[in-house]
Amino acid sequence: MSIRRCLTALAVGGLLVTGCTSTGAPAPTPSGSAASSSDAKPPPSPSPALPASLTGQRPDWKPCDGAGAEWRCATVRVPLDHAKPAGATLPVALIRKEATDRKGRIGSLLFNFGGPGASGVDTLPQLAEEYRTLGDRYDLVSFDPRGVGRSSGVVCRTDAEQAAAEARVDLTPDTPAEEAAFLKDAADFGAGCARRSGTVLPYTTTSATARDLDLIRQVLGDEKLHYFGISYGTQLGGAYAHLFPDRVGRLVLDAVVDPTADTAGHARHQTVGFQRALDNYLRSTGQDPAAGSARITRLLAELDREPLETGGRKLTEGLALTGIAVTLYAESGWPLLTEALAAAESGDGGPLLRLADAYNDRDEQGRYATQSHSQRAISCADSSERPTAEQAKALLPEFRRLSPVFGAFLAWDTAGWCADWPVEGEARTPAASAPGAAPVLVVGTTGDPATPYEGAERMAEELGEGVGILVTNKGEGHGAYGTSACVTRTVDAYLLDGKVPSYGTTCG
């Protein structure tokens, strides 16, 4: 359980949240400062040419299960290891809705909704109305990335094991016994991934998925890649631009991951971002942020000492934190937070538990989806560093100062994410420089809790002068397209008419 993940098309009592959060887990630097891009190792050099059996694939588009009549699904094969393109292959599931204006059709527009680990096949039909204008002239296309869902999705533990971990493991350990249990659970998770998904586990990197994107582009018959990435999808878009700058068409990156940050940097960003969003929520209800945070911290401390019995389950400190965080992804979630906090303080943990369950993909029957499994597999395949408990503890004083509510949780998360991971990771930080690429729109929201605005600034810089075009949305929430009319108009003009806005264009 980690608030590093996104909520993708999550509807909870009327709360709809789209987009996702941070990348994988490089360890904190001794100084605690984020790594610079000069520390990053670029992804492997371009792999050998793909065989015609892959580039010449013709997708067999058929009606999709559970989607509307206008949607068609297909599968393409991609190399398991792009360094061995003639070797074993993986299936990648696609979904497509054809452009309604066939004469004015521009091409395909591929979406990644984040996570990592979000299923594009499931998500795109749910959000299609939001992109209806783009669907006039683009085929709207998404996919389950390698290691996700229908594309050899990673599975690491059973529903019973996941429920037991939620109830048993303290995510902010205070004693040696709690610390040992926390680290053992992280190691057990990785061991379960190796047992159940060992074949695909070493090959779930973002750079491999970027290469898959380029093969999908070719199979769809597009000369350039037109792409819309949200949250983690911005990291994937940056990786594609870095690997294939000459094949960049019109790329939009919204709710942007900082490509220069290491684990401490990402955790620090989220510590600041979630506290900033919480402070904004508290001010909106007439509360002093310091007093409101102290009230929430007292509630969490009580739950840490004694979880709240809730319908045969227990609302733990960790589940309460997850439920609180979920409401900060969009301003529309703030009323739910007011209701859930008041209920918990009155002895009813149900609202917070339901919010945490929605985030953790747990249904009413106690069944869990596997997005969190895929997310960790992708993140830890990307990251070459493995934080230790001592490094996490060194962050605690600073992180608690930055956020009395989220600081300890996010400091410890740096050590619990890839502990004893069974395969090595690719690089300390991802590469995103793309000299010579066409302009890429980089959209950052000032009140974004999960991918704070500073990440958009860094991505625009890393892509390079004249490539990364920063658009600032002054507002709340994770992702701006569809919620800010100004951002939506700006993005539509770029994708549909090729109109590149001025660097620093501001909405809100």
Side-chain angles (χ1 to χ4, degrees), residues 80-94:
L80 173 65
D81 181 353
H82 276 274
K84 301 175 182 177
T89 62
L90 284 175
V92 169
L94 304 179

Side-chain angles (χ1 to χ4, degrees), residues 112 206 210 213 225 227-244 248 251-253 431-432 434 440 459 463:
N112 181 281
T206 298
L213 263 180
L225 178 72
Y227 174 82
F228 201 134
I230 302 164
S231 199
Y232 162 78
T234 67
Q235 182 184 340
L236 176 58
Y240 184 89
H242 174 74
L243 286 168
F244 307 106
V248 169
L251 265 65
V252 175
L253 310 179
V440 175
M459 177 66 83
L463 286 168

Side-chain angles (χ1 to χ4, degrees), residues 331 444-447 453 471-477 480 484 487 505-508:
E331 196 169 352
T445 296
T446 55
Y453 174 75
V471 175
T472 299
N473 177 45
K474 291 185 175 181
E476 302 295 327
S484 164
V487 168
T505 293
T506 299
C507 293

